[in-house]
Amino acid sequence: MLDVKRMVLLRDLAEHGRVTAVADLHGVTPSAVSQQLRALEAEAGAGLVEREGRGLRLTPAGTALAAACEPVLAALERAEAAVRALDAEPSGELAVGCAPSALATVAAPLVAELGLRHPELRPRLVQCDPEDALPLLRGRRLDLAVTYAYPLLGAPPAPGTTAVPLFADPLCLALPEALLPAYERTGLGALRDRAWVSAPAPSSCREMLLHACRGAGFTPYIAHACADLRSGLALVATGRAVSILPKLLCDAPPPGTVVRELPGPGRTFQAVVRAGTEARPAVAATLAALRVVVSGR
């Protein structure tokens, strides 16, 4: 019988390409990962990895086994959910990852809602961006992740996960009041020579700013990189910068700053769970509470 945890290590090696990356993901040493992969080869009766330079690559047998991992994991999750469904009330700890921009507006109300509905359930919040949350979710270090995606960027869903849409978050232009008349006359093109504020690269928010400006016929000069885009609005308030950022970050613009919603799609917030866990009482209860929290948006 193949060990599922070892199959997960093989799957992660197929995705990340380096034993050290797999070790970091699981919080173990590279030698421990290599040892587990050798044990999996013995179980499978076939060579699954081979040396390539200073690293490892999957053999055809290893590639086939890695591809079979997700359906196996989903089946096991469904089996566990069927057992958990016999519980009278959702209880225990539930690790919830949440994008920083949704902590105040989604995660905090979610904790309050779960406290009212299911007092025996103990949500534990972890702040993390989508690119960090999804590996943690798939590695069972999170049970649910509140993330976002930009449809225009074409990001594929993470294998082995199920996404539940929550709400749309449009893009907004933030600019000094003095520049508003020029923008209303000629659109984004009026701001082509201005300094722009965005997130440091690589960032999906930065990519969407570039996409919007290039659609208006110019490539913006991004003079300021701010990981906290809400704080970046203070630069706009000086009258010497402009920005494009999600509406969720524009709820309290500083004096002297004007916010205008841009046409077209922005980003979509979603709750992401491991495939097969949707029916687990704790996960199902959290999804139901999330729908209540975002219903007024």
Side-chain angles (χ1 to χ4, degrees):
M1 181 72 68
L2 299 178
D3 185 279
V4 176
K5 291 182 180 178
R6 292 168 180 159
M7 287 179 64
V8 170
L9 294 176
L10 185 71
R11 176 203 68 184
D12 292 343
L13 179 62
E15 292 186 12
H16 297 281
R18 295 183 297 111
V19 170
T20 52
V22 177
D24 290 343
L25 185 63
H26 291 270
V28 298
T29 64
S31 61
V33 173
S34 298
Q35 182 181 17
Q36 292 300 307
L37 291 176
R38 287 194 295 270
L40 183 61
E41 288 183 316
E43 293 171 350
L48 304 176
V49 297
E50 59 188 11
R51 280 284 168 199
E52 185 177 57
R54 300 177 66 180
L56 296 177
R57 71 178 181 87
L58 271 62
T59 65
T63 301
L65 185 56
C69 185
E70 295 298 354
V72 170
L73 292 175
L76 290 173
E77 295 284 13
R78 286 192 292 271
E80 182 178 342
V83 173
R84 297 289 186 188
L86 301 176
D87 296 340
E89 171 68 19
S91 61
E93 184 177 274
L94 186 88
V96 179
C98 186
S101 56
L103 283 171
T105 55
V106 177
L110 172 64
V111 170
E113 184 71 20
L114 287 173
L116 293 173
R117 290 168 165 246
H118 306 287
E120 297 302 314
L121 189 59
R122 303 189 305 277
R124 175 172 62 85
L125 291 181
V126 180
Q127 175 181 312
C128 46
D129 291 315
E131 58 268 25
D132 300 318
L134 295 179
L136 292 173
L137 177 70
R138 298 177 69 207
R140 301 180 66 87
R141 294 164 73 179
L142 293 177
D143 299 296
L144 181 148
V146 177
T147 70
Y148 59 82
Y150 285 92
L152 283 178
L153 297 182
T161 66
T162 299
V164 179
L166 295 176
F167 61 92
D169 188 21
L171 290 177
C172 292
L173 172 69
L175 72 167
E177 287 180 349
L179 297 180
L180 182 59
Y183 167 70
E184 290 180 334
R185 285 194 305 270
T186 58
L188 279 180
L191 308 173
R192 66 173 64 242
D193 295 325
R194 297 291 171 174
W196 289 76
V197 185
S198 192
S203 161
S204 55
C205 290
R206 188 184 183 103
E207 287 300 313
M208 286 305 299
L209 184 152
L210 291 169
H211 178 85
C213 291
R214 286 167 180 164
F218 69 97
T219 296
Y221 166 54
I222 301 179
H224 311 291
C226 296
D228 180 1
L229 284 178
R230 193 188 301 270
S231 296
L233 287 175
L235 289 167
V236 178
T238 67
R240 304 186 63 83
V242 292
S243 185
I244 290 175
L245 65 169
K247 187 175 182 179
L248 201 59
L249 299 175
C250 301
D251 54 345
T257 299
V258 176
V259 174
R260 290 291 182 268
E261 187 172 320
L262 294 174
R267 60 181 183 175
T268 300
F269 268 87
Q270 54 197 4
V272 186
V273 299
R274 289 187 301 279
T277 65
E278 303 92 326
R280 279 183 56 193
V283 174
T286 304
L287 289 172
L290 271 172
R291 294 187 184 97
V292 172
V293 167
V294 304
S295 61
R297 301 196 64 83

